[in-house]
Amino acid sequence: AGEPAWAADGRWFASGVYNTVQRWAADGGQDPLMIPGSDEIRRGIALSPDGRRLATVTDHQARLWDANTGKALASAPCGAGEFSEIAFTPDGKYLLATVNADGDKRPAPGHSRLVVRSADTLEVLRELAAPGRQSGIAVSPGRDLVVTAGELPGMKEALFVWSLESGLLVRTVETVGGRWPGFSRDGRCLATFGGGKMTVWDAATWVPIGSVPTSDDLPHVDLSPDGSQVVAAGDRAAVLWDVGTGREVRRLAPETAGAGGWPSRRTAG
């Protein structure tokens, strides 16, 4: 499963398992749009800021879809390595992707990278070398910041803060379980998952300001547009929590769950 993603109006989010994408209403309803895919498992999903385009990646392929009809718009191979996660920039012009060595191999220096692609054609425009294996990615909506989650040498987990304009790594924040980052819509907070909890960070000081308990079967998170709720998704469920109280608000599950997980799912926001 890949991380969930919120629509800009906060009314729905999408999450996916295996090779399908499905939208969900935040009030517990199910959206009818479902996008089937290839034989490969979906690793990442993102929704453009205007809500019109949906981007997905498998290990070796990136695709663009019409978010309203499910029509395929463009596709492109990963190139060397495998995709991990993706995100649109706030202006909708670019699609960012984290890429690592194939499989579980530890990447050589410079092998893991942050890749900037055209959000219209998926053409590669720029590649930034990362200091270690990368997983999740989040783009600040109001600042020139991109945050990726990954590992430092010695397999220490960390958040990497990048300037998209300069292409420079401007800050590294060591974490315990700080995977799968997601910004609030105002860019002031960042949520991460790991160590049995979701942690909310102050995006100016990079100091934790709160946490919500969760479990390892819900590894992918995203904050709601106003930062008041966080959604965590896994193979068998998506759960909404209230950030202020730490209480579970709603649990969403597929109507029919097979042994392999959700029959379909996935969106972005």
Side-chain angles (χ1 to χ4, degrees):
E3 87 289 352
W6 288 89
D9 60 11
R11 295 181 180 179
W12 60 270
F13 65 91
S15 65
V17 171
Y18 302 118
N19 63 350
T20 55
V21 176
Q22 188 167 330
R23 302 193 310 197
W24 296 89
D27 62 4
Q30 182 174 335
D31 190 288
L33 180 65
M34 184 186 301
I35 298 177
S38 66
D39 293 336
E40 290 188 275
I41 295 173
R42 298 234 184 257
R43 296 186 65 86
I45 183 169
L47 188 69
S48 63
D50 62 9
R52 296 179 179 178
R53 289 165 297 164
L54 185 70
T56 62
V57 291
T58 59
D59 285 347
H60 302 108
Q61 196 78 14
R63 290 181 172 86
L64 281 175
W65 312 83
D66 185 301
N68 295 312
T69 67
K71 179 183 177 181
L73 302 176
S75 65
C78 177
E82 293 181 347
F83 284 116
S84 181
E85 292 290 349
I86 52 172
F88 279 94
T89 54
D91 59 10
K93 294 181 179 180
Y94 306 105
L95 190 66
L96 310 181
T98 49
V99 176
N100 296 299
D102 290 339
D104 295 326
K105 294 183 292 186
R106 311 315 303 175
H111 194 112
S112 291
R113 58 200 191 277
L114 176 61
V115 181
V116 182
R117 291 175 176 260
S118 163
D120 293 320
T121 65
L122 298 180
E123 176 189 1
V124 174
L125 304 176
R126 193 176 192 181
E127 295 193 353
L128 309 176
R133 190 172 183 85
Q134 304 290 291
S135 54
I137 183 172
V139 185
S140 174
R143 302 161 63 193
D144 175 39
L145 289 180
V146 177
V147 174
T148 59
E151 296 175 355
L152 292 166
M155 299 183 66
K156 294 181 179 179
E157 293 182 328
L159 297 176
F160 303 101
V161 184
W162 305 78
S163 165
L164 186 58
E165 182 177 359
S166 69
L168 297 177
L169 180 63
V170 297
R171 186 160 186 169
T172 300
V173 182
E174 290 194 30
T175 67
V176 177
R179 296 172 290 165
W180 313 116
F183 275 102
S184 60
R185 281 287 179 256
D186 61 9
R188 296 180 180 180
C189 301
L190 182 86
T192 59
F193 166 88
K197 62 184 178 182
M198 284 177 285
T199 302
V200 179
W201 303 75
D202 184 310
T205 63
W206 300 107
V207 173
I209 58 176
S211 64
V212 175
T214 184
S215 59
D216 289 342
D217 59 352
L218 298 170
H220 309 294
V221 302
D222 197 14
L223 281 170
S224 64
D226 63 3
S228 65
Q229 291 184 315
V230 64
V231 59
D235 285 349
R236 297 181 181 275
V239 182
L240 286 167
W241 276 277
D242 183 285
V243 172
T245 65
R247 293 181 179 179
E248 182 177 316
V249 175
R250 184 171 294 108
R251 182 173 293 262
L252 304 174
E255 295 178 356
T256 303
W262 298 31
S264 59
R265 235 114 329 231
R266 216 117 174 53
T267 89

